């Protein structure tokens, strides 16, 4: 297996980039185990879900970042392990927490989108040579043809305006560039759930897993273990 494991990266004009089997694969084989490249806790549960491992056991967590007061953790170990990644966005989250923007009081889903946007942009700054999350499909061409585009574009514009207000000193991006990242997130995000309660805890992005195309007759299944994803072959491929 190479850098892509049992997969080979290919592309076409019609379907973009996708993964195909690089060798024979047997049904039940574990093909990929991956942690998210970026991810955020749902705004509605930000103090009850660990910002690193996405563990949630019900009560409000007592351990949190004292600077931004936005990231909560299930243990001191998770807080320490998350510190290097959290430090790059902490100041912006602190400004977001203190902001009196109408967005903050109006729509929690928009705040979740804004925080995911921040994660992607800081990921790109942190790993400038990594193109995986830079080149994922943004879906904007298809979204613009849908009847729901007006509503979606208004949501994107609201996030872009909030982004410009709290991040203007850190990033200089046009609204169209922000739209592209939000479209990429909408096209490639995976939701995390507490299955027993049917409650969504957050959303994450896996660069490699996003290259597995959706299918009505899938040959791969995803098993979620916390925030980590495991991909298993449903049948022989090769």
């Amino acid at each position: 297996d190479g850098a892509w494991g049992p997969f080979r990266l290919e592309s076409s004009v019609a379907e973009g980039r996708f993964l195909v089997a690089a060798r024979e694969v047997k049904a039940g084989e574990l093909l990929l185990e991956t942690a998210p490249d970026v991810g955020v806790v749902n705004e509605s549960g930000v103090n009850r879900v660990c910002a690193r491992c996405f563990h949630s056991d019900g009560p409000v967590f007592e351990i949190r970042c004292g600077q931004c007061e936005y990231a909560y953790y299930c243990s001191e170990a998770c807080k320490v392990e998350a510190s290097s990644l959290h430090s790059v966005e902490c100041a912006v989250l602190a400004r977001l927490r203190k902001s009196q923007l109408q967005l903050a009081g109006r729509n929690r889903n928009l705040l979740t989108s804004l925080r995911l946007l921040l994660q992607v942009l800081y990921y790109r700054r942190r790993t400038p040579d990594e193109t995986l999350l830079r080149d994922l499909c943004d879906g904007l061409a298809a979204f613009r043809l849908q009847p729901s585009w007006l509503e979606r574009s208004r949501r994107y514009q609201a996030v872009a305006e909030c982004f410009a207000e709290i991040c203007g000193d850190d990033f200089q991006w046009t609204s169209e560039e922000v739209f592209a990242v939000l479209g990429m997130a909408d096209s490639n995000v995976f939701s995390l759930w507490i299955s027993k309660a049917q409650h969504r805890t957050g959303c994450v992005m896996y660069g490699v897993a996003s290259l597995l195309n959706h299918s009505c007759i899938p040959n791969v299944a995803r098993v979620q273990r916390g925030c980590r994803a495991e991909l298993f072959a449903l049948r022989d491929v090769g």
Side-chain angles (χ1 to χ4, degrees):
D1 291 356
W4 294 90
F7 307 117
R8 182 175 67 252
L9 180 64
E10 294 191 357
S11 64
S12 72
V13 175
E15 298 180 352
R17 302 187 307 165
F18 53 89
L19 297 177
V20 298
R23 59 168 173 77
E24 289 189 359
V25 170
K26 297 298 183 182
E29 181 179 345
L30 174 62
L31 302 175
L32 178 69
E33 181 181 2
T34 180
D37 293 301
V38 297
V40 296
V41 173
N42 256 25
E43 189 69 22
S44 59
V46 73
N47 59 354
R48 298 190 305 276
V49 180
C50 180
R52 178 188 171 272
C53 70
F54 289 81
H55 172 69
S56 175
D57 57 9
V60 172
F61 289 132
E62 296 182 358
I63 302 171
R64 67 178 181 179
C65 172
Q67 300 299 316
C68 67
E69 300 183 355
Y70 218 108
Y72 286 74
Y73 301 97
C74 63
S75 66
E76 287 290 347
C78 268
K79 182 179 179 181
V80 171
E81 290 186 34
S83 60
S84 62
L85 299 181
H86 176 65
S87 62
V88 298
E89 63 172 2
C90 183
V92 174
L93 290 179
R95 292 200 295 270
L96 177 61
R97 174 64 75 188
K98 295 175 182 177
S99 172
Q100 298 301 312
L101 293 169
Q102 289 184 348
L103 175 66
R106 234 183 34 231
N107 193 317
R108 285 181 168 180
N109 290 330
L110 292 184
L111 279 175
T112 300
S113 296
L114 173 63
R115 287 167 43 235
L116 188 62
L117 170 66
L118 295 175
Q119 285 263 338
V120 172
L121 295 181
Y122 279 116
Y123 176 88
R124 291 180 176 181
R125 173 178 287 184
R126 203 168 61 240
T127 55
D129 297 329
E130 174 58 65
T131 61
L132 198 54
L133 285 190
R134 191 181 304 276
D135 296 336
L136 290 177
C137 174
D138 61 33
L140 289 180
F143 289 150
R144 287 190 172 103
L145 298 176
Q146 297 174 355
S148 59
W149 170 246
L150 181 60
E151 179 182 350
R152 185 188 297 271
S153 65
R154 287 173 177 169
R155 174 166 62 88
Y156 285 7
Q157 186 60 41
V159 173
E161 291 173 359
C162 184
F163 168 80
E165 183 159 339
I166 67 170
C167 302
D169 294 336
D170 292 342
F171 295 102
Q172 296 297 324
W173 280 46
T174 66
S175 292
E176 186 62 24
E177 289 171 323
V178 172
F179 274 37
V181 175
L182 292 172
M184 183 188 71
D186 280 351
S187 301
N188 296 282
V189 75
F190 290 80
S191 293
L192 300 181
W193 295 81
I194 298 176
S195 57
K196 292 182 179 180
Q198 288 296 298
H199 174 68
R200 195 173 83 154
T201 59
C203 51
V204 297
M205 293 177 66
Y206 307 101
V208 176
S210 293
L211 296 172
L212 294 168
N213 288 356
H214 294 284
S215 173
C216 295
I217 311 176
N219 55 15
V220 173
R222 175 174 62 102
V223 175
Q224 203 69 44
R225 300 192 189 280
C227 64
R228 300 184 67 86
E230 296 178 353
L231 302 176
F232 292 87
L234 292 176
R235 58 179 184 271
D236 292 350
V237 179

